[in-house]
Amino acid sequence: MIGKTLLRLRIALAVIGLVFFAAAYPVSRRLTMDRQLASMFAADDPLLVQYQRLQRDFGGNAIVMLVYHDPELLSDVGLRRNRFWTEKVSDVPGVVGVLSPAELDRVVQSMRPPALFSGGESPGPALADPDDALATGFLDLFSGYTHSADRDQAAVVAILDPERADQAVHLLRSVVKDAESTQGRPVLVGEPVLLNEGFDLLQRDGDRLATWTIALLSLVMVVTLRNLRFMLLSVTCIAWSVVMTRALAVLAGIELSMVSTILTAIVTVVVVAAVLHVGILWKLQIDRGPTAKDDDPTWTAASVINRLWIPVAWTCLTDAAGFASLAASGIRPVRDFGWLIAVAALMALVALAMFTPIVLTLWPREHRRNSITPVHRPGAVANVATRLVAWAIGNRRVVVATAVFLGIIALVGLRRTETETSFLKNFRDDSPLVQAYHKVERDLGGAGVWDITLPAPAVITEDYLESVRTLQTELRAIRVADQSLTKVISMADAERVAMAVPLLSLGTPEIRLAAMRAAFPAFSDALLVPPTQSQRRLRIMLRSREQLPADTKLRLIGRVQDVVRRHIATQQWQGMVGGLDSDSSPSKGSGRPDKSAAVTGYYVMLSALVRRLVADQWICFAVSFALVWLLLAVMTASVRLSLTAVIANALPATLVLATLGWLGGRVNLGAAMIAAVSIGMSIDGSVHFLHHYRRCRRMGMNAPLASESAGSAVGAAMLLATVALVVGFGVMANSRFVPTATFGVLVAATLVLGTLVNLTVLPAAIVGWAKDQTDAVDASDDGSDDGP
């Protein structure tokens, strides 16, 4: 028997486990988090290809803005203040360029005629001269970008190196924090800031969730089982599984991502569910009364292991299969998360095999002391489970019909769910970051930054620039639900402003662009690839409101894409840039000029991210359904039983998401994976139920009696685990990161519904479809005392 074998090797197994833990722990500490937006997409995803092309062509493309109030902005004092902030931002590692009123003032001074001919400077701020066409041109061009239209809000726009954007944002946040008590109280906004804050909160929530979940579950075990050994077993197995999984991730080159910060919490679900079953069976075994065998802790441990190793093993395997289904996602972090949790479930099985034998045989005196006090009556929790199963069996037609009705309602409700594409909605309305965005949206017209990249000829001509300006006019005219682009700016606009300089107005567009590059290199290089490169491209920077409804934002992006597509398809445009490639994506290493256009940037990618998660979750859900069904079919040797269990466990997630739809909620990052992971999280109870049910059937029990016995045996552990896990995940509900709170609430609701389904719908359906639907009898009259 496997129980005796494991117990005979228990010391060796425990030593081996500790040796592996000691070797893996330092490796696991090297696991890092990939905080780049690019990591959220597949390597060949067109959106990522376009985004990487933007990075490659224009260097830094991550934009953040430091914004503050200054009614004296265009005075000497105000511009000195702005120059102070400009220099503070410029000195931050990872900032490759800045744009600010102080920079505009410097550019105007360097380009205006006195500076060109004599090198002198006119008195007073050059940017504030109302008679200077160059100054007024720059003020109009960058209105809503570096300053508000009423000129009492100033912004320092920082262009970040994408490879060091996260580090730069951290440092910029420190700059803002250190200056909170100074005049102006600057705020920092931009999509990179949202991502940085989101990852910080996710890491904090992941650590807090792991701590609270383990602590609360340990408390539940101590209170319900009144034995510290099971708390020790849980903590040991959780720690071992997490460390081994993290170490294997390091060796495999996998990094943590936005969705994998809950690794420890998910491992806790798997381990605690198994340990509660072990603990309750162990307690019932020693509470039966003293016998020669029962007085031997080794015999009791062997009996428990023999009874539970099959359902525990199949539980871990079905958990692994359920989460491995996430590999079907097109989003890399979701795939990595699926593989991590699948490996963690298998590691949990290994940990339980290594440490359960030795923990169950600890404190033998306590075992003998407990065994001399017979307790024959089932616990209150087991009574609740037994009565619930008996009621469901007695009303099986009503229960099954209700489940079918709720399933239909859920399918209708799923069609009402909408996707939340605004990343800002991932933060609570009262958070400082959201308040900062409100300020920028109100005063500067929009905090959403995105881009259009266009092919450009080797020599920029007036016809080309005029065509670009025509495209910008068409973009500014776009209206979607009373919303429009709040800023459209490119080097075509800057070239026109440069014509205000008399000498430059006599030259060609290339001369004016060269003058702009000499005076304003960071801005020029960020908007136009210099002529020294073989493939020139021009960038149009767009601004729009971040806080838009999901459908409005997606329609706005779609309209911009349509306008760009139509414009570059004209014969005039194709004649200027040499025709279009048939493929919209550049061919790496092809050597051919890239003539494609792209609408890209953080705004576009973040808007697509959750929408893709939602689309992928149903593919992953189908894969999970199939994998778990196949495993259960092998375990039960019954297609009907396995299909019943999987269909029943698909109901909780659909009900939860449907309720979200009926209540008008939106699917965010936290809700997007619920359907895909729900089967893996709620199937544990079904595995134990079906294993005990089949065991009772082999003993000759009819279907109703076998179902009642299974409910009595596993119901207490299912209910206690659900209570503990709901409390643990409930800790997430007050997170400042809305997806974390949403995930916690939805997981808790899914676990509750999953337990109810496994104790009502599952037994009712099993009995309803069984051939021997004889009336159930009381378990106490039948000798069902045979097994918990």
Side-chain angles (χ1 to χ4, degrees), residues 85 173-187 432:
W85 289 117
R173 289 169 64 183
S174 298
V175 169
V176 171
K177 183 178 180 181
D178 294 341
E180 282 184 353
S181 59
T182 64
Q183 181 181 359
R185 296 184 60 85
V187 296

Side-chain angles (χ1 to χ4, degrees), residues 46 75 121 132 134 141 192 241 272 284 294 306 517 645 662 740 747:
S75 67
E121 296 184 2
D132 189 330
L134 186 64
L141 177 61
S241 304
V272 167
L284 290 176
D294 286 333
N306 287 332
R517 178 168 285 106
W662 284 112
T740 302
V747 167

Side-chain angles (χ1 to χ4, degrees), residues 618-642:
W618 298 115
I619 299 175
C620 297
F621 179 76
V623 174
S624 176
F625 187 100
L627 289 177
V628 173
W629 173 53
L630 288 174
L631 286 174
L632 285 181
V634 173
M635 186 196 84
T636 61
S638 170
V639 172
R640 183 172 57 187
L641 280 179
S642 58

Side-chain angles (χ1 to χ4, degrees), residues 567-632:
H567 187 84
I568 65 173
T570 61
Q571 292 183 352
Q572 179 190 8
W573 180 269
Q574 294 185 44
M576 287 186 296
V577 299
L580 296 174
D581 289 337
S582 58
D583 186 356
S584 61
S585 299
S587 301
K588 294 182 179 180
S590 66
R592 294 183 293 110
D594 178 15
K595 303 300 192 311
S596 59
V599 179
T600 184
Y602 273 75
Y603 190 83
V604 176
M605 297 181 74
L606 287 175
S607 297
L609 181 61
V610 180
R611 184 179 51 170
R612 292 190 177 188
L613 275 173
V614 174
D616 284 352
Q617 78 163 341
W618 298 115
I619 299 175
C620 297
F621 179 76
V623 174
S624 176
F625 187 100
L627 289 177
V628 173
W629 173 53
L630 288 174
L631 286 174
L632 285 181

